[in-house]
């Protein structure tokens, strides 16, 4: 009787494994198909992976499918096939998730610039409908984005525009008159706020208009597997949505030679005086170029250094914090002991860093990279610290242990906080380049220096603001160093 039950149990298990074998077959084929379609592995690894998968399949599938194999062997084959199937499904999830990530960060929907309808804090105007039929004062400018903002406001309410050539008059008018209504770009609103300590509390924004800027083309793309290229890393001083424009606090050119595996990080002080190529060569601080979009930042840096920027990567506060947390923090070596102050973000003020090695979580890494008031050299030391943080992130992310254990978390953490004009194909080429030989990269750092001054800038109207006039010799040396990277030296 016991023998009959045992035989019946064995028969049922063999029937089950025949059906399971087809599920295992589909999982194997699906994994190989996704592996080939996503094109993430260099050929030397792809054929090895396919060979290993094929051998494992040939060892296990016949045992599962053919009834004549003993039940004990089928149990062993089932166990290994179950583990492999789970692995294949996880691999499919990772690979398709990676492709979705690439698509998301490279789907350039265009940047948006904000415009504010501003009134006095004591004003009776509560929302956009309250100003219907009234006068709105705005800047007398030929900027296309201002014209677009005015048109969008007219679509909502019927107003008459009064033009003023002076940004300071325009900003002050709201403080002096409770009935005054002004339309300001976010950049001009920020400029006025920096001149008036309590401007944000003494005024109210009753309506926000978002104006789309022109997309940045990638006409200077190169063969990233063989040709050297420059990336502009632009870090804007906001958190949240990456498509909005704002001041660029981080302006770093990353020069990469894929054949020599050398990288040069060249930082430019945020207050460096540059030409805004899209504004008729008007002068302004480099950080303010970001107000007019990443395209303006790229053009300004190209003009300053006399180089081509082939690609850009745009990040914000959220990117740094989420990425560093996702990889388990980073270790940096600080040149000084200092305490942060004046950052106006929760958790970033009052953090102390010590000379020597420090382990940083996301918030601490952002604070370390942003602090400048503690240093005699101000923004120059901040540029150095930004490079230190970036180098620490790159080294940890490129380690095999971090990539394997933190991979999914890294993608999920920054998916909505990074934008680039690298194509998905180019990103995959860079990944394959790294995976092919797992080369170690030699990273060098350079900073452009300058002399502090004050000037009236394009974005600040008639306000004088602090600027940095780039040192001609420093710029020439930076350009030469980038040239050496490109020449393979």
């Amino acid at each position: 009787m016991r023998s009959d039950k045992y035989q019946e149990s064995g028969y049922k298990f063999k029937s089950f494994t025949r059906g399971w074998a087809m599920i295992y077959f589909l999982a194997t084929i699906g994994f190989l198909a996704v592996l080939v379609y996503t094109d993430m592995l260099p050929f030397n690894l792809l054929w090895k992976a396919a060979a290993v998968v094929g051998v494992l399949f040939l060892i296990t599938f016949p045992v599962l499918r053919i009834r004549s194999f003993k039940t004990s062997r089928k149990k062993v084959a089932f166990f290994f096939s179950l583990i492999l199937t789970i692995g294949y499904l996880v691999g499919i999830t990772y690979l398709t998730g990676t492709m979705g990530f690439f698509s998301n960060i490279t789907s350039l929907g265009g940047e948006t610039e904000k415009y504010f309808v501003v009134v006095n804090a004591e004003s009776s105007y509560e929302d956009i409908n309250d100003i219907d039929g009234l006068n709105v004062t705005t800047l007398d400018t030929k900027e296309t984005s201002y014209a677009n903002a005015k048109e969008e406001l007219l679509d909502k309410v019927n107003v008459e525009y009064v033009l003023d050539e002076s940004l300071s008059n325009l900003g002050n008018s709201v403080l002096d008159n409770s009935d005054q209504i002004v339309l300001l770009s976010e950049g001009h609103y920020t400029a006025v706020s920096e001149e008036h300590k309590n401007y944000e509390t003494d005024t109210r924004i009753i309506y926000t208009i978002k104006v789309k800027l022109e997309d940045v083309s990638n006409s200077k793309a190169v063969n990233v597997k063989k040709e050297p290229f420059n990336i502009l890393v632009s870090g804007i001083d906001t958190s949240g949505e990456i498509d909005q424009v704002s001041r660029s606090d981080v302006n770093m050119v990353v020069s990469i030679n894929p054949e020599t595996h050398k990288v040069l990080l060249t930082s430019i002080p945020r207050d460096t005086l540059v030409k805004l190529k899209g504004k008729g060569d008007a002068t302004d601080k480099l950080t303010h170029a970001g107000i007019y979009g990443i395209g303006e930042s790229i053009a300004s840096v190209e003009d300053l250094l006399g180089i081509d920027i082939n690609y850009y990567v745009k990040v914000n506060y959220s990117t740094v914090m989420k990425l560093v947390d996702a990889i388990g923090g980073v270790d940096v070596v600080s040149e000084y002991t200092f305490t942060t102050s004046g950052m106006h973000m929760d958790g970033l003020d009052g953090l102390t860093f010590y000379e020597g090695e420090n382990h940083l979580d996301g918030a601490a890494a952002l604070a370390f990279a942003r602090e400048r008031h503690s240093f005699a050299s101000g923004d120059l030391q901040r540029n150095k610290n930004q490079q230190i943080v970036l180098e620490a992130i790159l080294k940890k992310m490129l380690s095999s242990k971090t990539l394997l254990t933190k991979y999914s978390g890294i993608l999920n953490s920054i998916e909505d906080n990074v934008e680039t004009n690298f194509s998905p194909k180019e990103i995959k080429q860079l990944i394959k380049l790294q995976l092919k030989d797992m080369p170690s990269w030699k990273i060098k750092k350079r900073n452009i220096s300058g002399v502090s001054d004050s000037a009236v800038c394009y974005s600040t109207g008639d306000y004088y603001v602090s600027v940095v006039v780039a040192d001609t010799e420093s710029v020439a040396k930076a350009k030469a160093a980038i040239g050496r990277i490109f020449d393979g030296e």
Side-chain angles (χ1 to χ4, degrees):
M1 192 71 177
R2 183 180 177 183
S3 176
D4 291 341
K5 288 183 178 181
Y6 181 78
Q7 289 179 352
E8 182 180 354
S9 175
Y11 179 82
K12 288 181 178 180
F13 182 72
K14 289 182 178 181
S15 297
F16 165 75
T17 58
R18 282 175 61 83
W20 167 256
M22 298 311 298
I23 297 175
Y24 172 50
F25 170 76
L26 292 174
T28 304
I29 294 299
F31 175 70
L32 288 174
V34 171
L35 197 63
V36 173
Y37 174 74
T38 54
D39 192 27
M40 295 285 292
L41 294 179
F43 182 74
N44 65 320
L45 292 182
L46 180 62
W47 76 261
K48 290 178 182 177
V52 171
V53 171
V55 170
L56 292 173
F57 180 80
L58 292 175
I59 291 174
T60 50
F61 182 79
V63 179
L64 294 169
R65 188 67 182 167
I66 300 173
R67 288 185 180 275
S68 59
F69 282 97
K70 293 182 179 180
T71 302
S72 58
R73 288 193 62 182
K74 283 182 173 290
K75 288 181 178 179
V76 174
F78 171 71
F79 173 77
F80 281 108
S81 66
L82 177 63
I83 299 299
L84 290 170
T85 299
I86 293 172
Y88 295 154
L89 294 177
V90 170
I92 290 172
T93 301
Y94 270 36
L95 288 169
T96 54
T98 301
M99 294 306 296
F101 171 78
F102 291 162
S103 176
N104 188 54
I105 68 172
T106 58
S107 297
L108 308 181
E111 296 176 296
T112 57
E113 184 177 4
K114 291 181 180 179
Y115 284 77
F116 302 140
V117 177
V118 185
V119 299
N120 189 288
E122 303 299 324
S123 170
S124 60
Y125 309 130
E126 296 293 335
D127 58 43
I128 193 68
N129 296 316
D130 293 337
I131 68 171
D132 190 47
L134 301 179
N135 291 337
V136 174
T137 307
T138 189
L139 201 63
D140 187 3
T141 175
K142 294 181 180 180
E143 280 190 34
T144 303
S145 51
Y146 254 104
N148 292 338
K150 289 192 289 185
E151 287 182 12
E152 288 200 27
L153 182 58
L154 284 173
D155 288 339
K156 297 293 181 181
V157 289
N158 182 29
V159 297
E160 290 288 335
Y161 288 112
V162 178
L163 302 181
D164 194 322
E165 294 181 351
S166 170
L167 180 60
S168 60
N169 288 343
L170 189 61
N172 292 336
S173 66
V174 183
L175 299 175
D176 299 335
N177 185 351
S178 62
D179 292 327
Q180 179 76 334
I181 308 162
V182 301
L183 175 65
L184 287 172
S185 69
E186 184 177 25
H188 285 144
Y189 177 81
T190 301
V192 176
S193 299
E194 289 178 343
E195 292 296 319
H196 299 277
K197 184 178 181 181
N198 299 319
Y199 195 77
E200 294 182 11
T201 56
D202 291 340
T203 63
R204 283 188 291 113
I205 297 172
I206 63 171
Y207 192 68
T208 300
I209 302 166
K210 289 186 176 181
V211 176
K212 277 211 165 189
L213 302 181
E214 293 183 6
D215 292 344
V216 180
S217 65
N218 194 15
S219 58
K220 298 171 184 174
V222 300
N223 183 345
V224 296
K225 294 188 298 182
K226 297 180 179 179
E227 300 177 61
F229 53 92
N230 290 315
I231 308 169
L232 177 65
V233 177
S234 176
I236 60 174
D237 64 347
T238 63
S239 57
E241 298 176 354
I242 195 64
D243 67 339
Q244 64 181 317
V245 296
S246 187
R247 296 175 300 183
S248 52
D249 272 1
V250 178
N251 301 277
M252 188 184 303
V253 177
V254 181
S255 306
I256 299 175
N257 190 317
E259 294 198 326
T260 62
H261 306 117
K262 290 183 178 180
V263 177
L264 175 65
L265 309 180
T266 305
S267 287
I268 309 170
R270 67 189 293 276
D271 290 342
T272 300
L273 207 58
V274 296
K275 293 179 181 179
L276 300 181
K277 306 306 291 183
K279 308 296 181 184
D281 281 352
T283 56
D284 208 329
K285 299 200 287 189
L286 179 56
T287 183
H288 291 161
I291 296 171
Y292 305 107
I294 186 66
E296 194 66 64
S297 295
I298 290 172
S300 297
V301 172
E302 288 182 329
D303 180 71
L304 176 69
L305 294 178
I307 61 172
D308 284 338
I309 298 295
N310 307 99
Y311 303 97
Y312 75 85
V313 176
K314 182 181 173 185
V315 299
N316 59 17
Y317 293 161
S318 299
T319 319
V320 177
M321 291 190 291
K322 291 181 178 181
L323 177 57
V324 172
D325 283 338
I327 62 178
V330 293
D331 295 315
V332 303
V333 178
S334 176
E335 295 182 14
Y336 304 98
T337 295
F338 63 94
T339 300
T340 60
S341 62
M343 293 194 184
H344 310 296
M345 284 186 68
D346 292 339
L348 298 191
D349 273 348
L351 295 179
T352 299
F353 302 94
Y354 299 94
E355 182 180 352
E357 187 169 300
N358 299 259
H359 181 77
L360 312 181
D361 63 8
L366 178 61
F368 182 87
R370 290 189 61 209
E371 176 62 28
R372 59 172 171 162
H373 301 295
S374 299
F375 312 115
S377 58
D379 203 40
L380 294 178
Q381 184 59 42
R382 176 163 70 170
N383 286 347
K384 291 181 180 180
N385 286 350
Q386 289 169 355
Q387 292 176 338
I388 290 171
V389 170
L390 179 58
E391 184 177 9
I393 291 173
L394 289 174
K395 285 183 176 179
K396 190 159 187 181
M397 284 184 63
L398 290 174
S399 73
S400 57
K401 181 180 178 181
T402 301
L403 282 176
L404 289 173
T405 60
K406 309 287 186 180
Y407 182 77
S408 182
I410 292 171
L411 298 191
N412 293 334
S413 68
I414 63 174
E415 184 172 9
D416 296 323
N417 302 107
V418 175
E419 181 182 281
T420 181
N421 63 339
F422 275 105
S423 69
K425 180 181 178 181
E426 288 168 327
I427 296 175
K428 287 187 288 185
Q429 287 176 332
L430 291 173
I431 292 174
K432 289 161 70 174
L433 179 68
Q434 180 66 20
L435 292 176
K436 183 179 180 181
D437 301 311
M438 290 301 290
S440 59
W441 293 78
K442 187 175 182 180
I443 302 175
K444 291 185 176 181
K445 300 183 286 289
R446 175 172 287 275
N447 290 279
I448 289 176
S449 60
V451 179
S452 296
D453 200 350
S454 63
V456 172
C457 293
Y458 179 80
S459 65
T460 60
D462 47 353
Y463 290 119
Y464 274 84
V465 293
S466 61
V467 299
V468 172
V469 179
D471 177 70
T472 305
E473 184 178 354
S474 174
V475 171
K477 287 182 177 179
K479 182 178 179 180
I482 293 171
R484 288 193 293 272
I485 290 290
F486 272 57
D487 293 337
E489 296 180 17

